[in-house]
Amino acid sequence: LGCASDPGLVIFSVRRRCPRPRGIAGRRVVTAMVLQASEYLVVPQACENPRLRLVCFPHSGGGPAAFASWPEQLDQRRVEVVSVSLPGRERRVDLEPLMHWEVIVEDICNALQASELVDDVPYAFFGHSLGALLAFEVARRLDGVLPPSRPRPIHLFASGHG
């Protein structure tokens, strides 16, 4: 597994499916795949065999660092944190910030679909402040573009948006 590090954050740079080990009595144990690289998706700490992926949308002007400590508490519950990284913020500060809402939503939806995150482990969205609105719009857009056979977020957590 090759990866690139960014101030405490790990961005996976390869995509592969984990081997399917056999459990007790030869029953197949379900394992999660490694996410495909994306400028938009950051995994602060990979979780072995997550039961859930929590896609976190930061506040306006924020980035993945806002959620960098979350895996310490969630890893033991087998919840993998995936943070959204927008242009013009933190590790992508050298890029021009996106100014049109529709472009941001479309880019994040494309990154989620390309990573196959929406096909593997159940996933939920958490957004804080402007991130709450962004998480809602991404969930709504995914619901409109994903075929009925593909799973939707199982929950949307909104924090600090009035």
Side-chain angles (χ1 to χ4, degrees), residues 91-128:
R91 68 186 190 90
R92 300 180 71 198
V93 72
D94 57 327
L95 299 175
E96 186 73 25
L98 297 176
M99 303 304 259
H100 299 282
W101 186 254
E102 300 83 12
V103 174
I104 297 169
V105 170
E106 184 176 341
D107 284 355
I108 294 170
C109 287
N110 289 340
L112 289 169
Q113 291 177 78
S115 73
E116 297 181 2
L117 182 138
V118 296
D119 291 321
D120 191 11
V121 175
Y123 63 101
F125 289 163
F126 169 84
H128 178 68

Side-chain angles (χ1 to χ4, degrees), residues 47 51-52 54 56 69-81:
C47 176
R51 291 186 310 171
L52 175 82
L54 183 62
C56 299
S69 66
W70 286 31
E72 294 171 17
Q73 299 298 317
L74 297 176
D75 189 57
Q76 62 194 354
R77 292 174 174 80
R78 292 183 34 217
V79 174
E80 185 170 64
V81 175

Side-chain angles (χ1 to χ4, degrees), residues 123-157:
Y123 63 101
F125 289 163
F126 169 84
H128 178 68
S129 191
L130 179 67
L133 192 56
L134 188 57
F136 173 79
E137 290 297 333
V138 169
R140 193 169 72 116
R141 167 96 178 178
L142 282 175
D143 191 50
V145 299
L146 290 176
S149 62
R150 293 179 79 184
R152 274 52 178 176
I154 61 169
H155 200 84
L156 174 92
F157 300 94

